[in-house]
Amino acid sequence: STDLTSTVGYDSIIQHLNDGRKNCKEFEDFLKERAIIEEKYGKELINLSKKKPCGQTELNTLKRSLDVFKQQIDNVGQGHIQLAQTLREEAKKMEDFREKQKLHRKKIELIMEAIHKNRNLQYKKTMEVKQTCCCFLPWGALLYLSSLSHSWQLFLKLAQTKSALEDSDRSYQQSVTTLEKIREEWQKEHIKACEFFETQECERINYFRNALWLHVNQLSQDCVQNDEKYEEIRKSLEMCSIEKDIDFYVNLRKTGSLAPAPVVYENYYNTQRNATPVRSPVPVAISRRGPLPTPTSAPGEPDYATVDGYSLI
């Protein structure tokens, strides 16, 4: 501003820096809230995998798949809790950066505050001296004219007024000289402060951008790790064999390999009619039944599929 005592430009810069600090605080709070959500979600997943039954009476390969499923869900929950801790650490880094900038900027602001105060006081003093000097000029001329027609006492007053006028003028010149020195010092400090603030703003934007980039990468990495855990479940399901599970159950629960023999008639009423007892037939071994039926899926039900190298259901 062309007004020497104006701080409108400086105030605008300080306001912008405070807004930037506020924006960093908002992102910091966002990370903290996200950490709370991730931690709560992770704990809920862990509780779900540990406490909720899920096919607990299944056998053999499908049971192993379900065990892997629950274990990986637990791992996903642990991953979310770890992500919550990572987000808290990033929020703390943002807070440290924000406070560090505030501390450094405070030193410059104190210097500028002092030099603004000194400049304004000197400007006010100079203007007061200038006003005093201007008031002496007409009074001095009037007394000089009056001395031509008045007594010797008026002449003495004129001499005193002249001396006072000269003193006031010298004081005015000294004040202007002092003000100019202060103005030059203020201008140098103002430029230095602006350069410092610009450097801080560049650092803040760069730090903020990198922090946001890192945050998105962390979320992407979490998704990749989760997909790896889910892939373990898919691999386990690929090892699930319907035929093996059926055979396993049969071998586990079988009660024998021979069918019951037919019931033979025995005549207890007329022993003469059936003197020769009928021999019991030999039990016949049960042959293994044919191949297992191929399970079919109704329209809209999930089925095994492979897409782009990923085994999906």
Side-chain angles (χ1 to χ4, degrees):
S1 174
T2 56
D3 182 4
L4 182 59
T5 60
S6 174
T7 58
V8 60
Y10 177 81
D11 293 340
S12 176
I13 293 175
I14 295 300
Q15 181 62 45
H16 178 74
L17 295 176
N18 289 335
D19 290 342
R21 183 170 178 270
K22 179 182 177 182
N23 293 336
C24 289
K25 180 65 167 60
E26 291 176 351
F27 181 65
E28 173 190 328
D29 292 339
F30 181 91
L31 291 178
K32 291 179 180 179
E33 290 294 328
R34 179 65 186 268
I36 294 174
I37 295 172
E38 291 291 339
E39 183 176 43
K40 181 179 179 181
Y41 180 56
K43 289 181 178 179
E44 291 292 337
L45 284 179
I46 293 174
N47 289 335
L48 178 65
S49 65
K50 289 182 177 180
K51 298 180 180 180
K52 190 68 175 179
C54 184
Q56 58 184 349
T57 61
E58 285 293 345
L59 303 172
N60 206 33
T61 62
L62 184 56
K63 176 177 174 57
R64 287 196 291 270
S65 294
L66 289 171
D67 290 341
V68 173
F69 166 71
K70 296 192 69 175
Q71 180 60 50
Q72 294 305 324
I73 293 299
D74 183 277
N75 292 341
V76 170
Q78 296 289 351
H80 281 282
I81 293 177
Q82 181 59 43
L83 177 60
Q85 180 61 29
T86 300
L87 295 180
R88 290 192 179 95
E89 293 173 357
E90 293 303 319
K92 186 62 171 61
K93 291 179 183 178
M94 177 63 76
E95 180 183 4
D96 294 341
F97 171 79
R98 182 170 52 81
E99 291 301 320
K100 179 181 178 182
Q101 279 209 329
K102 176 186 176 182
L103 181 62
H104 290 173
R105 189 166 71 243
K106 189 63 177 178
K107 298 176 182 178
I108 303 299
E109 290 180 6
L110 290 175
I111 294 174
M112 293 302 297
E113 181 180 348
I115 202 168
H116 282 161
K117 183 177 180 180
N118 188 30
R119 179 199 63 186
N120 293 345
L121 288 175
Q122 184 60 36
Y123 180 81
K124 181 180 179 182
K125 178 181 178 181
T126 300
M127 293 300 102
E128 290 175 350
V129 173
K130 177 181 179 181
Q131 186 66 27
T132 301
C133 183
C134 292
C135 290
F136 269 122
L137 287 174
W139 278 105
L142 179 61
L143 290 175
Y144 177 74
L145 293 174
S146 300
S147 67
L148 298 177
S149 57
H150 290 77
S151 64
W152 175 255
Q153 293 179 349
L154 293 178
F155 180 77
L156 291 177
K157 289 182 179 181
L158 176 61
Q160 293 174 357
T161 301
K162 181 180 179 182
S163 177
L165 178 62
E166 291 175 349
D167 291 342
S168 178
D169 184 65
R170 282 194 299 271
S171 178
Y172 173 52
Q173 290 182 11
Q174 291 175 357
S175 294
V176 171
T177 301
T178 303
L179 178 60
E180 177 59 19
K181 291 181 180 180
I182 292 176
R183 188 196 66 81
E184 291 178 354
E185 181 184 2
W186 159 75
Q187 186 168 314
K188 291 179 182 178
E189 291 297 329
H190 182 80
I191 293 174
K192 288 168 60 177
C194 288
E195 291 174 347
F196 175 82
F197 293 151
E198 183 177 5
T199 300
Q200 270 209 334
E201 182 65 2
C202 290
E203 291 176 352
R204 187 192 68 82
I205 294 175
N206 182 66
Y207 190 90
F208 201 157
R209 181 191 62 181
N210 292 345
L212 189 57
W213 188 290
L214 177 61
H215 175 60
V216 174
N217 283 351
Q218 289 168 344
L219 297 180
S220 296
Q221 181 64 27
D222 183 62
C223 292
V224 171
Q225 292 175 350
N226 285 346
D227 188 69
E228 291 175 353
K229 297 178 179 70
Y230 297 142
E231 179 64 13
E232 291 298 319
I233 300 174
R234 289 189 286 264
K235 289 179 179 178
S236 177
L237 289 172
E238 288 177 347
M239 300 299 295
C240 177
S241 169
I242 299 175
E243 183 175 359
K244 288 182 179 179
D245 284 3
I246 296 297
D247 288 341
F248 180 85
Y249 169 76
V250 170
N251 292 327
L252 180 67
R253 303 299 184 187
K254 67 183 179 180
T255 58
S257 59
L258 298 177
V263 178
V264 178
Y265 170 76
E266 297 184 17
N267 188 355
Y268 295 100
Y269 173 72
N270 188 350
T271 57
Q272 298 298 322
R273 294 177 55 188
N274 191 14
T276 304
V278 180
R279 298 176 58 185
S280 299
V282 179
V284 180
I286 301 175
S287 63
R288 185 68 172 91
R289 66 176 183 272
L292 296 176
T294 302
T296 58
S297 299
E301 291 184 350
D303 197 359
Y304 289 96
T306 301
V307 179
D308 295 334
Y310 286 92
S311 299
L312 305 175
I313 297 180

